[in-house]
Amino acid sequence: MDAVNSEADRDSGAETSAQKMQKVLQCFSVLERSLSVSEIAERTGMPRSTAHRWCVSLREIGFLDQDHARDEYRLGLSLLQLGNTVLSSMDLQKQQRPIVESLTQASQEGVHLGVFDGISMVFVSHTPGGPLVRNNSTTLVESSPCYCTSVGKAALAFQPAPVVQRIIDMGLVAYTRNTITDPDKLREELRIIRERGYALNNGEFEPHTRCIGAPIRNASGKVIAAISVTGTSKRLPDSRVKNIAPLVVQHADALSIQLGYRIRGVAT
């Protein structure tokens, strides 16, 4: 990649090769899984020839895959392998299993644990609920939007205003008729979440699904993840939500404490 590095650096002067590579990779999302060179050039602000050189180089090391039939690129399996390595080394991944399984048993519903990556929620653990409740969690590497899921809103509500604005600027796509697509309504929803301590997803990402999510903090108090109980709208009526929400918050707090966060009034 030396030739690309030198040419890319000349293209932007102060911008490093690592920053160039990051810009290319960050073009992709759950909504835009495949992109052409022209689309990548437009999103990164690179000349098309430079974007093409980066795509070829990233394909050679497995960070991108190419669909020759459509002349488009998508994220490669090497990134998945690196992601698994990161997840396996994270304190959160090490600490989460007992908490996830405890909340599954307490709620008798499915449980999801997701990490906020600055744009979306990356799910790292899941247990099935309802009749399928069992005492083992599954590690996942999947992602979902952060503005229409309970884990996503629970994490987004505690991010700085510029982060919220970035999510809004990326577009609030309607997945169902219940998805919040108005920026002001989303900001108000996030305010309510901060006040009550947990988020609700009322069929906003998938119809007939209801979820209750609460934020997880690291040792410095920054919200880095969230945990949720997930079920159908029939299994989670308002009466059950009132009973389960405190359980979700308690388990989120317990995991935060294990990560080094000191909750006021709680001995660690």
Side-chain angles (χ1 to χ4, degrees):
M1 294 177 61
D2 291 342
V4 174
N5 289 348
S6 60
E7 291 183 64
D9 289 344
R10 286 199 300 270
D11 287 334
S12 63
E15 196 166 43
T16 67
S17 297
Q19 290 171 326
K20 284 278 190 179
M21 179 173 66
Q22 182 184 38
K23 286 175 68 174
V24 172
L25 295 176
Q26 288 183 336
C27 289
F28 299 88
S29 69
V30 294
L31 300 179
E32 296 179 302
R33 299 170 188 257
S34 298
L35 296 170
S36 67
V37 172
S38 295
E39 290 171 328
I40 292 170
E42 180 182 354
R43 284 161 175 73
T44 59
M46 297 179 185
R48 191 183 186 284
S49 59
T50 301
H52 179 261
R53 289 194 295 270
W54 273 107
C55 289
V56 171
S57 295
L58 291 171
R59 183 193 64 197
E60 290 175 351
I61 60 175
F63 283 9
L64 291 181
D65 287 334
Q66 186 176 12
D67 184 342
H68 292 282
R70 300 175 59 188
D71 196 25
E72 292 183 340
Y73 289 87
R74 58 182 177 273
L75 296 179
L77 289 176
S78 291
L79 291 173
L80 177 62
Q81 294 166 353
L82 290 173
N84 280 326
T85 301
V86 172
L87 290 177
S88 66
S89 64
M90 288 174 60
D91 288 341
L92 178 62
Q93 181 68 7
K94 295 176 182 177
Q95 303 285 352
Q96 58 83 19
R97 187 177 294 272
I99 300 294
V100 169
E101 293 177 355
S102 172
L103 183 55
T104 303
Q105 288 299 314
S107 66
Q108 291 295 293
E109 300 294 343
V111 171
H112 289 82
L113 177 68
V115 175
F116 181 59
D117 69 0
I119 296 176
S120 58
M121 298 302 293
V122 180
F123 290 104
V124 297
S125 189
H126 162 71
T127 57
L132 299 177
V133 165
R134 61 176 185 262
N135 282 321
N136 63 311
S137 58
T138 302
T139 299
L140 301 173
V141 184
E142 298 177 352
S143 61
S144 70
C146 63
Y147 62 89
C148 56
T149 59
S150 66
V151 284
K153 291 192 291 183
L156 187 61
F158 296 91
Q159 302 305 315
V163 174
V164 176
Q165 187 61 48
R166 181 176 66 203
I167 300 302
I168 291 172
D169 291 342
M170 291 177 67
L172 304 178
V173 177
Y175 288 89
T176 74
R177 63 182 183 180
N178 292 334
T179 306
I180 298 174
T181 57
D182 179 85
D184 290 335
K185 289 183 178 179
L186 178 61
R187 292 190 184 94
E188 175 63 13
E189 174 82 353
L190 299 180
R191 184 193 66 78
I192 293 172
I193 291 167
R194 287 192 293 272
E195 287 186 354
R196 71 186 176 201
Y198 64 88
L200 294 177
N201 166 15
N202 294 308
E204 297 162 45
F205 185 51
E206 295 178 339
H208 314 301
T209 298
R210 201 170 199 197
C211 312
I212 311 161
I216 296 169
R217 295 171 170 83
N218 63 12
S220 66
K222 181 180 180 181
V223 173
I224 60 168
I227 193 170
S228 73
V229 163
T230 301
T232 64
S233 54
K234 289 184 178 180
R235 288 185 61 85
L236 290 175
D238 290 345
S239 58
R240 284 202 74 205
V241 167
K242 291 179 181 178
N243 293 328
I244 292 177
L247 292 175
V248 179
V249 173
Q250 290 166 13
H251 283 77
D253 288 347
L255 191 45
S256 297
I257 291 171
Q258 289 188 19
L259 294 176
Y261 178 63
R262 298 190 65 177
I263 298 176
R264 189 174 303 174
V266 177
T268 57

